[in-house]
């Protein structure tokens, strides 16, 4: 069973910063690509950033230069550092990984950016 637990969301003013964390099951973490997705009200869930087991990263164009994804394999945790936040970053942020053909999701953490 793969478990993903996000934390770190909250209310922040535009231009501010937040760091999200996702704690994953120890048995799979170090070998898996981890992704951060977000879903705004009435919109589809989109990829924000991902990081492979080797540390290679990928970002959505809308967050490049503002967000940084990282991982700590010793803590089985992936992070999303979000800087220069904008109102359009408001969404529920989800952690995701694929394991044995099944896509696993956390319950999400809400980020609200006030303008």
């Amino acid at each position: 069973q793969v478990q993903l637990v996000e934390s770190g969301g909250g209310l922040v003013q535009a231009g501010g910063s937040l760091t999200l964390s996702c704690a994953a099951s120890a048995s799979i973490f170090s070998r898996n690509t981890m992704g951060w997705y977000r879903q705004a009200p009435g919109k589809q869930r989109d990829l924000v950033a991902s990081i492979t087991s080797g540390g290679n990263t990928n970002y959505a164009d809308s967050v490049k230069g503002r967000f940084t994804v990282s991982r700590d394999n010793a803590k089985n945790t992936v992070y999303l550092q979000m800087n220069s936040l904008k109102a359009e970053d408001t969404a529920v942020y989800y952690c995701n990984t694929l394991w044995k053909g099944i896509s696993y999701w956390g319950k999400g953490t809400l980020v609200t950016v006030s303008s």
Side-chain angles (χ1 to χ4, degrees), residues 10 21 24 26 32 34-35 51 53 59 62 65 68-69 71-72 74 78 84 87 94 97-98 101 108-109:
S21 301
N32 269 35
M34 303 297 297
I51 184 167
S53 58
Y59 297 94
S62 60
T68 302
V69 60
R71 64 192 297 158
D72 185 337
V78 61
S84 302
Y94 297 90
T97 195
L98 187 66
T109 186

Side-chain angles (χ1 to χ4, degrees), residues 11 14 16 27 32-34 36 60 65 69 73 89 94-95 99 102 108 112:
L11 175 64
S27 61
N32 269 35
T33 293
M34 303 297 297
W36 283 101
V69 60
N73 288 340
D89 295 317
Y94 297 90
C95 185
W99 179 246
I102 299 173
T112 303

Side-chain angles (χ1 to χ4, degrees), residues 67-88:
F67 290 12
T68 302
V69 60
S70 61
R71 64 192 297 158
D72 185 337
N73 288 340
K75 295 182 178 181
N76 301 319
T77 301
V78 61
Y79 304 97
L80 186 67
Q81 172 69 44
M82 306 185 293
N83 298 325
S84 302
L85 283 161
K86 305 175 181 180
E88 51 263 43

Side-chain angles (χ1 to χ4, degrees), residues 41-60:
K43 296 189 176 181
Q44 67 181 21
R45 191 173 297 187
D46 292 323
L47 177 67
V48 175
S50 63
I51 184 167
T52 68
S53 58
N56 293 318
T57 58
N58 180 57
Y59 297 94

